[in-house]
Amino acid sequence: MGTSVDESSVSQSSPPAAISSQPLRRAVQPSAARDRRYPWDNATLRLKAHALVVTAVMAGVLLGTLEARLGFLVWPLMVGLSVLLLAGCALVNHWIGGPVDRLVSRLERLARTGEPVSLRRLPVKRDDELGQIARAVHQLGESLVRQQSEASTLRKTLESRAAEATRRATRQLERLAMRDPLTDLGNRRCLDEHLDALVATARDESRGELLCVLLDIDNFKPLNDTLGHAAGDEVLAFLGSLIRGCARDGDLAIRLGGDEFVVLLPTDDLARATQFINMVRSLFRQQTHTMFPDGPVADLSIGVAGLKRDGCPDGEALLARADGHLYRAKRAGKGQTCGAEES
């Protein structure tokens, strides 16, 4: 047989700290209760086979001698020979055939199922060649279990990281899908996503109100045509940053498209809306005049509507009412605010 495998190297080996656990050790640790041994099990298979051959030869010589001396006892001698033959076959099966069959069966089950618990059934306590094979297989099995555990841990880590990266990418895409890239304000989709919730909140509160401020840049087309689209984009981006700076937490600032913006203010304080409007208009006038002193004068026409104040049944009606006030401001000569003065 091959070189003996040191049993202590099997019992002392342990899985890495990253995957070590009591269930894993119990799964691969040999079961002493299933591995009951007898004194003759310590002998090697070679010794057992030699012993059986020697016993068979001696029994044959003994029976031959008895037959030569006691010729009339042939039948009892044949019966004795048969008994010895059966006993030899039983010993061969018990010492060699049976253990080999059990080891092969356990190895086949281990290869078929890959269950760590199958390692416990290997006869690693035997001192013969079968024990050497079992210890070698047990050591390989422990290594395989550790590798599978490490691979499983790595796979779960990678899956977790991939899932988190996917969630972050999804959130980023959702954010980008609801943002206007030029002004970094919300877009029409963002308005559609939040308008009904803001209306419902305002209606649920006894003193709640939702004010809608609709803004439109005056003389934007002449400015765009005279100074170019880059100048127009610069004006739009500045107004977006101005609205963001003047808005408060809870306000919803949206670029509807072109040079039209809307800000929803969840408040019943009309003075706050007036303050917001005056601040945005004043800063917008100053900055655009500084940016383009020789260009067309840019200003803001603004329409204001209140959900409860104007009796709007829903968010779309609120926007329509603010748009009506904005149209009045345009007809009044631009640079005007309509709707904020109504109580």
Side-chain angles (χ1 to χ4, degrees), residues 36-224:
R36 185 170 53 186
R37 293 182 299 166
Y38 297 95
W40 53 80
D41 288 332
N42 293 326
T44 64
L45 296 180
R46 184 182 293 106
L47 179 60
K48 293 173 183 176
H50 291 170
L52 290 174
V53 171
V54 171
T55 302
V57 171
M58 293 180 62
V61 171
L62 178 60
L63 290 176
T65 303
L66 291 176
E67 183 181 1
R69 294 187 176 183
L70 307 172
F72 58 90
L73 297 177
V74 175
W75 289 107
L77 291 176
M78 291 181 64
V79 172
L81 183 59
S82 299
V83 171
L84 288 176
L85 181 61
L86 292 175
C89 292
L91 289 176
V92 169
N93 182 68
H94 178 73
W95 281 349
I96 301 176
V100 170
D101 292 340
R102 287 192 295 272
L103 178 60
V104 170
S105 176
R106 292 170 184 176
L107 292 178
E108 288 178 346
R109 180 174 180 180
L110 178 61
R112 184 175 62 254
T113 63
E115 298 175 352
V117 71
S118 301
L119 294 174
R120 300 178 58 188
R121 299 187 175 94
L122 295 177
V124 297
K125 299 298 183 180
R126 297 178 65 98
D127 294 330
D128 55 6
E129 293 86 346
L130 295 179
Q132 294 177 13
I133 296 174
R135 286 191 291 275
V137 172
H138 189 276
Q139 189 175 24
L140 293 175
E142 279 188 321
S143 176
L144 178 61
V145 168
R146 286 196 297 269
Q147 292 175 6
Q148 290 176 342
S149 299
E150 291 172 349
S152 177
T153 302
L154 180 60
R155 183 175 62 254
K156 291 179 180 178
T157 301
L158 293 177
E159 289 175 352
S160 176
R161 292 180 179 177
E164 180 60 27
T166 302
R167 286 192 294 269
R168 287 198 301 267
T170 301
R171 288 194 297 267
Q172 182 68 12
L173 289 175
E174 290 175 350
R175 180 183 178 277
L176 293 175
M178 293 193 294
R179 307 302 293 181
D180 175 60
L182 180 61
T183 63
D184 198 32
L185 298 179
N187 57 16
R188 182 71 198 207
R189 179 180 177 183
C190 180
L191 178 65
D192 294 339
E193 288 283 337
H194 296 89
L195 182 59
D196 290 342
L198 290 173
V199 170
T201 301
R203 292 198 180 282
D204 290 342
E205 298 176 358
S206 58
R207 297 186 58 186
E209 177 63 293
L210 181 63
L211 299 178
C212 177
V213 179
L214 197 60
L215 306 94
D216 187 87
I217 301 177
D218 298 327
N219 299 321
F220 180 74
K221 187 177 185 305
L223 187 147
N224 221 12

Side-chain angles (χ1 to χ4, degrees), residues 14-44:
S14 59
I19 62 169
S20 61
S21 62
Q22 290 297 333
L24 178 58
R25 286 196 293 269
R26 286 197 297 268
V28 300
Q29 186 176 4
S31 175
R34 294 177 177 269
D35 202 16
R36 185 170 53 186
R37 293 182 299 166
Y38 297 95
W40 53 80
D41 288 332
N42 293 326
T44 64

